[in-house]
Amino acid sequence: MRFQRSLALVLPRMRNKFQSQALRYFSSLLESEQRSSFGIAFDIDGVILRGRDPIGGSPQAVRRLYKDSGKLNVPFLFLTNGGGVPESKRANELSEQLGVKILPSQVLQGHSPFKSLLKRYENQLIIAAGKGEPAVVMSEYGFKKVVSIDEYASLFENIDPLSEYKKWTTNQVLDRSVHPMNTVLRCDVTSEAVKAVFVVSDPVDWGRDIQKDHLTIQAAFPSNRLGMGAFRIALESVFNRVHHNPLEHVSFGKPNPVVFKNAEAMLRQLQVSYRSNNSKESGDSGLQSFKTLYMIGDNPSVDIKGARQAGHPWFSILTRTGVFRGKHNHAEFPADMVVDTVEEAVDYILERECVS
């Protein structure tokens, strides 16, 4: 009888303890699922920045995705066809411009998919072309034999017939140089000795040729500028006139659906980090499928088309601060939502997802 009485006294306490633990577990799990079942991908030029200047309330919009403690509250990243610098450097620049801590893993540039080609080209001769620091980028990715287009041209005397005109001074103030890429790539960087050329600014890699078709971009200049798609068209036209066989190329960057798959994978990694910070007691791995991934962009033929081609769970939002300035939705590549600014887009997402 004593044993039965003591057991009767212990069981209610154990039951209450287990109930309390279970309640905390499932509450944490439910909160985690509700708050991290979506993610956001931002284009940069024309959405977050124009040149180096923030636009559309982007600093305020991005800050809303963090807790007061500075920890990530919503998984997000930047998905841009730009580049020319390592992701770590771009992350530092964005951190300064937006006033929050951006991680290198939150920056996917046009040339970021080149990392997946390391096994194939690691020990092959690679020519890295484009603005910025293309050779540095490729070396940081792990490619062993990388030279810039300038280094390649310097190995051959008179390879560039326009070299003497490519440096000049105006009014003793402006010192400008024209990159030799356009001339040298036309005919010379096409031999069997060169296994691949990677254009790392608005990316291209020739494998012979791996490229992206971003015809127009919104940069600091008020009017839209021609992007790497225009360069690809020009290069392909010249190459095909000079050689018997057409130029072989593989395109990376938006709107390629592979880029959006890669973004989803990176957002899932950020989601795991987010959930480890917010649901430590739940014991959940965080590897759940996203219900919605939002692509916020300014270019219908790149950002919106890419999200539409990628399909579920992507939801496209088109801003009017960049390439697109229309009053109504784009006719050929209509977005799921059209807004004026990125701040308005984030407001809509947080309200839709019931995140304060």
Coordinates of all heavy atoms in Angstrom, one line a residue, residues 100-159:
V100 N 23.7 46.1 -41.8 CA 23.5 44.9 -41.1 C 24.6 43.9 -41.5 O 25.3 44.2 -42.5 CB 22.1 44.2 -41.5 CG1 20.9 45.0 -41.0 CG2 22.0 44.0 -43.0
K101 N 24.8 42.9 -40.8 CA 25.8 41.9 -41.1 C 25.4 40.9 -42.1 O 24.5 40.1 -41.9 CB 26.2 41.2 -39.8 CG 27.3 40.1 -40.0 CD 28.6 40.7 -40.5 CE 29.7 39.7 -40.6 NZ 30.9 40.2 -41.2
I102 N 26.0 41.0 -43.3 CA 25.7 40.1 -44.4 C 26.8 39.1 -44.5 O 28.0 39.4 -44.5 CB 25.5 40.8 -45.7 CG1 24.5 41.9 -45.7 CG2 25.2 39.8 -46.9 CD1 23.1 41.4 -45.4
L103 N 26.5 37.8 -44.5 CA 27.4 36.7 -44.6 C 27.8 36.4 -46.1 O 26.9 36.6 -46.9 CB 26.9 35.4 -43.9 CG 26.5 35.6 -42.5 CD1 25.8 34.3 -42.0 CD2 27.7 35.9 -41.6
P104 N 29.0 36.0 -46.3 CA 29.3 35.5 -47.7 C 28.4 34.5 -48.3 O 28.1 34.5 -49.5 CB 30.7 35.0 -47.6 CG 31.3 35.7 -46.4 CD 30.2 35.9 -45.4
S105 N 27.8 33.6 -47.4 CA 26.9 32.6 -47.8 C 25.6 33.2 -48.3 O 24.7 32.5 -48.9 CB 26.7 31.6 -46.7 OG 26.2 32.2 -45.5
Q106 N 25.3 34.5 -47.9 CA 24.1 35.1 -48.3 C 24.2 35.9 -49.7 O 23.3 36.6 -50.1 CB 23.6 36.1 -47.3 CG 23.1 35.5 -46.0 CD 22.7 36.5 -45.0 OE1 23.6 37.0 -44.2 NE2 21.5 36.8 -44.9
V107 N 25.4 35.7 -50.3 CA 25.6 36.4 -51.6 C 25.9 35.3 -52.7 O 26.8 34.6 -52.7 CB 26.8 37.3 -51.5 CG1 27.1 38.0 -52.9 CG2 26.6 38.4 -50.4
L108 N 24.9 35.2 -53.6 CA 25.1 34.4 -54.8 C 25.2 35.3 -56.0 O 24.3 35.9 -56.4 CB 23.9 33.4 -55.0 CG 23.7 32.3 -53.9 CD1 22.5 31.5 -54.2 CD2 25.0 31.5 -53.8
Q109 N 26.4 35.3 -56.6 CA 26.7 36.1 -57.8 C 26.6 35.3 -59.0 O 26.4 34.1 -59.0 CB 28.1 36.8 -57.6 CG 28.2 37.6 -56.3 CD 29.5 38.3 -56.3 OE1 29.6 39.5 -56.5 NE2 30.6 37.6 -55.9
G110 N 26.7 36.0 -60.1 CA 26.5 35.3 -61.4 C 27.5 34.2 -61.6 O 27.2 33.1 -62.2
H111 N 28.7 34.4 -61.1 CA 29.8 33.4 -61.3 C 29.9 32.4 -60.1 O 30.7 31.5 -60.1 CB 31.1 34.0 -61.4 CG 31.4 35.1 -60.5 ND1 31.7 34.9 -59.1 CD2 31.5 36.5 -60.6 CE1 31.9 36.0 -58.5 NE2 31.8 37.0 -59.4
S112 N 29.0 32.5 -59.1 CA 29.1 31.5 -58.0 C 28.9 30.1 -58.4 O 29.6 29.2 -57.9 CB 28.0 31.9 -56.9 OG 28.2 33.1 -56.3
P113 N 28.1 29.8 -59.5 CA 28.0 28.4 -59.9 C 29.3 27.8 -60.5 O 29.4 26.6 -60.6 CB 26.9 28.4 -61.0 CG 26.1 29.6 -60.7 CD 27.1 30.6 -60.1
F114 N 30.3 28.6 -60.8 CA 31.5 28.1 -61.3 C 32.2 27.2 -60.3 O 33.1 26.4 -60.6 CB 32.5 29.3 -61.6 CG 32.0 30.1 -62.8 CD1 32.7 31.3 -63.1 CD2 31.0 29.7 -63.6 CE1 32.3 32.1 -64.2 CE2 30.6 30.5 -64.7 CZ 31.2 31.7 -65.0
K115 N 31.9 27.4 -59.0 CA 32.4 26.5 -58.0 C 32.2 25.0 -58.3 O 33.0 24.1 -58.0 CB 31.9 26.8 -56.6 CG 32.1 28.2 -56.1 CD 31.4 28.5 -54.8 CE 31.5 30.0 -54.4 NZ 30.8 30.3 -53.2
S116 N 31.0 24.8 -58.9 CA 30.6 23.4 -59.2 C 31.4 22.8 -60.3 O 31.4 21.6 -60.6 CB 29.1 23.3 -59.6 OG 28.9 24.0 -60.8
L117 N 32.2 23.6 -61.0 CA 33.0 23.2 -62.2 C 34.5 22.9 -61.7 O 35.3 22.5 -62.6 CB 33.0 24.2 -63.3 CG 31.7 24.6 -63.9 CD1 31.8 25.7 -64.8 CD2 31.1 23.4 -64.5
L118 N 34.7 23.0 -60.4 CA 36.1 22.8 -59.9 C 36.7 21.5 -60.3 O 37.8 21.4 -60.7 CB 36.2 23.1 -58.4 CG 37.5 23.0 -57.8 CD1 38.5 24.0 -58.4 CD2 37.4 23.2 -56.3
K119 N 35.9 20.4 -60.0 CA 36.4 19.1 -60.3 C 36.8 18.9 -61.7 O 37.8 18.2 -62.0 CB 35.3 18.1 -59.9 CG 35.8 16.6 -60.0 CD 34.7 15.7 -59.5 CE 35.2 14.2 -59.6 NZ 34.1 13.3 -59.1
R120 N 36.1 19.5 -62.6 CA 36.4 19.3 -64.1 C 37.6 20.2 -64.5 O 38.4 19.7 -65.3 CB 35.1 19.7 -64.9 CG 35.3 19.6 -66.4 CD 34.0 20.0 -67.1 NE 34.2 20.0 -68.5 CZ 33.3 20.3 -69.4 NH1 32.1 20.7 -68.9 NH2 33.5 20.3 -70.7
Y121 N 37.7 21.4 -64.0 CA 38.7 22.3 -64.5 C 39.8 22.7 -63.5 O 40.6 23.6 -63.8 CB 38.0 23.6 -65.0 CG 37.1 23.5 -66.2 CD1 35.8 23.6 -66.1 CD2 37.7 23.3 -67.4 CE1 34.9 23.4 -67.2 CE2 36.9 23.1 -68.5 CZ 35.5 23.2 -68.4 OH 34.7 23.1 -69.5
E122 N 39.9 22.0 -62.4 CA 40.8 22.5 -61.3 C 42.2 22.6 -61.8 O 42.9 23.6 -61.4 CB 40.7 21.4 -60.2 CG 41.6 21.8 -59.0 CD 41.5 20.8 -57.8 OE1 40.8 19.8 -58.0 OE2 42.1 21.1 -56.8
N123 N 42.7 21.7 -62.6 CA 44.1 21.8 -63.0 C 44.3 22.1 -64.5 O 45.3 21.9 -65.0 CB 44.8 20.4 -62.7 CG 44.9 20.1 -61.2 OD1 45.4 20.9 -60.4 ND2 44.3 19.0 -60.8
Q124 N 43.2 22.7 -65.1 CA 43.3 23.1 -66.5 C 43.6 24.6 -66.5 O 43.4 25.3 -65.5 CB 41.9 22.8 -67.1 CG 41.5 21.4 -67.1 CD 42.4 20.5 -67.9 OE1 43.0 20.9 -68.9 NE2 42.4 19.2 -67.6
L125 N 44.2 25.0 -67.6 CA 44.4 26.4 -67.8 C 43.1 27.2 -68.0 O 42.3 26.9 -68.9 CB 45.3 26.6 -69.1 CG 45.6 28.1 -69.4 CD1 46.3 28.8 -68.3 CD2 46.4 28.2 -70.7
I126 N 42.9 28.2 -67.1 CA 41.7 29.0 -67.1 C 42.1 30.4 -67.4 O 43.0 31.0 -66.7 CB 41.0 28.9 -65.8 CG1 40.6 27.4 -65.4 CG2 39.8 29.8 -65.7 CD1 39.6 26.8 -66.4
I127 N 41.4 31.1 -68.3 CA 41.5 32.5 -68.5 C 40.3 33.1 -67.9 O 39.2 32.9 -68.3 CB 41.7 32.9 -70.0 CG1 43.0 32.3 -70.5 CG2 41.6 34.4 -70.1 CD1 43.2 32.6 -72.0
A128 N 40.5 34.0 -66.9 CA 39.4 34.7 -66.2 C 39.3 36.1 -66.8 O 40.2 36.9 -66.7 CB 39.6 34.7 -64.7
A129 N 38.1 36.4 -67.4 CA 38.0 37.7 -68.0 C 36.8 38.5 -67.4 O 35.9 37.9 -66.8 CB 37.7 37.6 -69.5
G130 N 36.8 39.8 -67.5 CA 35.7 40.6 -66.9 C 36.2 41.7 -66.1 O 37.4 41.8 -65.8
K131 N 35.3 42.5 -65.6 CA 35.7 43.6 -64.7 C 36.0 43.1 -63.3 O 35.8 41.9 -63.0 CB 34.5 44.6 -64.6 CG 33.3 44.1 -63.8 CD 32.2 45.1 -63.7 CE 31.0 44.5 -62.9 NZ 29.9 45.5 -62.8
G132 N 36.6 44.0 -62.5 CA 36.9 43.6 -61.1 C 38.1 42.8 -61.0 O 39.2 43.0 -61.6
E133 N 38.0 41.7 -60.3 CA 39.1 40.8 -60.0 C 38.8 39.3 -60.4 O 38.7 38.5 -59.5 CB 39.4 40.8 -58.5 CG 39.6 42.2 -57.9 CD 39.6 42.3 -56.4 OE1 38.7 41.7 -55.8 OE2 40.5 42.9 -55.8
P134 N 38.6 39.1 -61.7 CA 38.2 37.8 -62.1 C 39.1 36.7 -61.7 O 38.7 35.6 -61.3 CB 38.0 37.9 -63.6 CG 38.8 39.1 -64.0 CD 38.8 40.0 -62.8
A135 N 40.4 36.9 -61.9 CA 41.4 35.9 -61.6 C 41.4 35.6 -60.1 O 41.6 34.4 -59.7 CB 42.8 36.3 -62.1
V136 N 41.3 36.6 -59.3 CA 41.2 36.4 -57.8 C 40.0 35.5 -57.4 O 40.1 34.6 -56.6 CB 41.2 37.7 -57.1 CG1 40.9 37.5 -55.6 CG2 42.5 38.5 -57.3
V137 N 38.9 35.9 -58.1 CA 37.6 35.1 -57.8 C 37.8 33.6 -58.1 O 37.5 32.7 -57.3 CB 36.5 35.6 -58.6 CG1 35.3 34.7 -58.6 CG2 36.1 37.0 -58.2
M138 N 38.4 33.3 -59.3 CA 38.5 31.9 -59.7 C 39.6 31.2 -58.8 O 39.4 30.0 -58.5 CB 38.9 31.9 -61.2 CG 37.9 32.4 -62.1 SD 36.3 31.7 -62.0 CE 36.6 30.1 -62.5
S139 N 40.6 31.9 -58.4 CA 41.6 31.3 -57.6 C 41.0 31.0 -56.2 O 41.3 29.9 -55.6 CB 42.8 32.2 -57.4 OG 43.5 32.4 -58.6
E140 N 40.2 31.9 -55.7 CA 39.5 31.6 -54.4 C 38.6 30.4 -54.5 O 38.3 29.8 -53.5 CB 38.8 32.9 -53.9 CG 39.7 34.0 -53.4 CD 39.0 34.9 -52.5 OE1 37.8 34.7 -52.1 OE2 39.7 35.9 -52.0
Y141 N 38.0 30.2 -55.7 CA 37.2 29.0 -55.8 C 38.0 27.7 -55.8 O 37.4 26.6 -55.8 CB 36.4 29.1 -57.1 CG 35.3 30.2 -57.1 CD1 34.6 30.5 -58.3 CD2 34.9 30.8 -55.9 CE1 33.6 31.4 -58.3 CE2 33.9 31.7 -55.9 CZ 33.2 32.1 -57.1 OH 32.2 33.0 -57.1
G142 N 39.3 27.8 -56.0 CA 40.1 26.6 -55.9 C 40.8 26.2 -57.2 O 41.5 25.2 -57.3
F143 N 40.5 27.0 -58.3 CA 41.2 26.6 -59.6 C 42.7 26.9 -59.5 O 43.1 28.0 -59.0 CB 40.5 27.4 -60.7 CG 39.1 27.1 -61.0 CD1 38.0 27.8 -60.3 CD2 38.7 26.0 -61.8 CE1 36.7 27.4 -60.5 CE2 37.4 25.7 -62.0 CZ 36.4 26.4 -61.4
K144 N 43.5 26.0 -60.0 CA 44.9 26.1 -59.8 C 45.7 26.9 -60.8 O 46.7 27.5 -60.5 CB 45.5 24.7 -59.7 CG 44.9 23.8 -58.6 CD 45.4 24.3 -57.2 CE 45.1 23.2 -56.2 NZ 43.7 22.8 -56.0
K145 N 45.2 26.9 -62.1 CA 46.0 27.5 -63.1 C 45.1 28.6 -63.8 O 44.5 28.4 -64.8 CB 46.4 26.5 -64.2 CG 47.3 25.4 -63.7 CD 47.6 24.4 -64.8 CE 48.5 23.3 -64.2 NZ 48.8 22.3 -65.3
V146 N 45.1 29.8 -63.1 CA 44.2 30.9 -63.5 C 45.1 32.1 -63.9 O 46.0 32.5 -63.2 CB 43.3 31.3 -62.4 CG1 42.4 32.4 -62.9 CG2 42.5 30.1 -61.9
V147 N 44.8 32.6 -65.1 CA 45.4 33.9 -65.5 C 44.3 34.8 -65.9 O 43.3 34.4 -66.4 CB 46.4 33.7 -66.7 CG1 47.6 32.8 -66.2 CG2 45.7 33.1 -67.9
S148 N 44.6 36.1 -65.8 CA 43.6 37.1 -66.2 C 43.9 37.4 -67.7 O 44.9 36.9 -68.3 CB 43.9 38.5 -65.5 OG 45.1 39.0 -65.8
I149 N 42.9 38.0 -68.4 CA 43.0 38.3 -69.8 C 44.2 39.2 -70.0 O 44.9 39.1 -71.1 CB 41.7 38.9 -70.3 CG1 41.7 38.9 -71.9 CG2 41.5 40.3 -69.8 CD1 41.7 37.6 -72.5
D150 N 44.5 40.1 -69.1 CA 45.7 41.0 -69.2 C 47.0 40.2 -69.2 O 47.9 40.4 -70.0 CB 45.7 42.0 -68.1 CG 44.6 42.9 -68.2 OD1 44.4 43.6 -69.2 OD2 43.8 43.0 -67.2
E151 N 47.1 39.2 -68.3 CA 48.3 38.4 -68.2 C 48.4 37.5 -69.4 O 49.5 37.3 -69.9 CB 48.1 37.5 -66.9 CG 48.2 38.2 -65.6 CD 47.9 37.4 -64.4 OE1 47.0 36.5 -64.5 OE2 48.5 37.6 -63.4
Y152 N 47.3 37.0 -69.9 CA 47.4 36.2 -71.1 C 47.9 37.0 -72.3 O 48.7 36.6 -73.1 CB 46.0 35.6 -71.4 CG 45.9 34.8 -72.7 CD1 46.3 33.5 -72.7 CD2 45.5 35.4 -73.9 CE1 46.2 32.7 -73.8 CE2 45.5 34.6 -75.1 CZ 45.8 33.2 -75.0 OH 45.8 32.5 -76.2
A153 N 47.3 38.2 -72.5 CA 47.7 39.1 -73.6 C 49.2 39.5 -73.5 O 49.9 39.6 -74.5 CB 46.8 40.3 -73.6
S154 N 49.7 39.7 -72.3 CA 51.1 40.1 -72.1 C 52.1 39.1 -72.5 O 53.3 39.4 -72.7 CB 51.3 40.5 -70.7 OG 51.3 39.4 -69.8
L155 N 51.7 37.8 -72.7 CA 52.6 36.7 -73.1 C 52.9 36.7 -74.6 O 53.8 36.0 -75.0 CB 52.0 35.4 -72.7 CG 51.7 35.1 -71.2 CD1 51.0 33.8 -70.9 CD2 53.1 35.2 -70.4
F156 N 52.1 37.5 -75.3 CA 52.3 37.5 -76.8 C 52.4 38.9 -77.3 O 51.5 39.7 -77.2 CB 51.0 36.8 -77.4 CG 50.7 35.4 -76.9 CD1 49.8 35.3 -75.9 CD2 51.3 34.3 -77.4 CE1 49.5 34.0 -75.4 CE2 51.1 33.1 -76.9 CZ 50.2 32.9 -75.9
E157 N 53.6 39.1 -77.9 CA 53.8 40.5 -78.5 C 52.9 40.7 -79.6 O 52.7 39.9 -80.5 CB 55.3 40.5 -78.9 CG 55.7 41.9 -79.4 CD 57.2 42.0 -79.7 OE1 57.9 41.0 -79.6 OE2 57.6 43.1 -80.1
N158 N 52.3 41.9 -79.7 CA 51.5 42.4 -80.7 C 50.2 41.6 -80.9 O 49.5 41.6 -81.9 CB 52.2 42.4 -82.1 CG 53.4 43.3 -82.1 OD1 53.4 44.3 -81.5 ND2 54.5 42.8 -82.7
I159 N 49.7 40.9 -79.8 CA 48.5 40.1 -79.9 C 47.3 41.1 -80.0 O 46.3 40.8 -80.6 CB 48.3 39.2 -78.7 CG1 47.1 38.2 -79.0 CG2 48.1 39.9 -77.4 CD1 47.0 37.2 -77.9

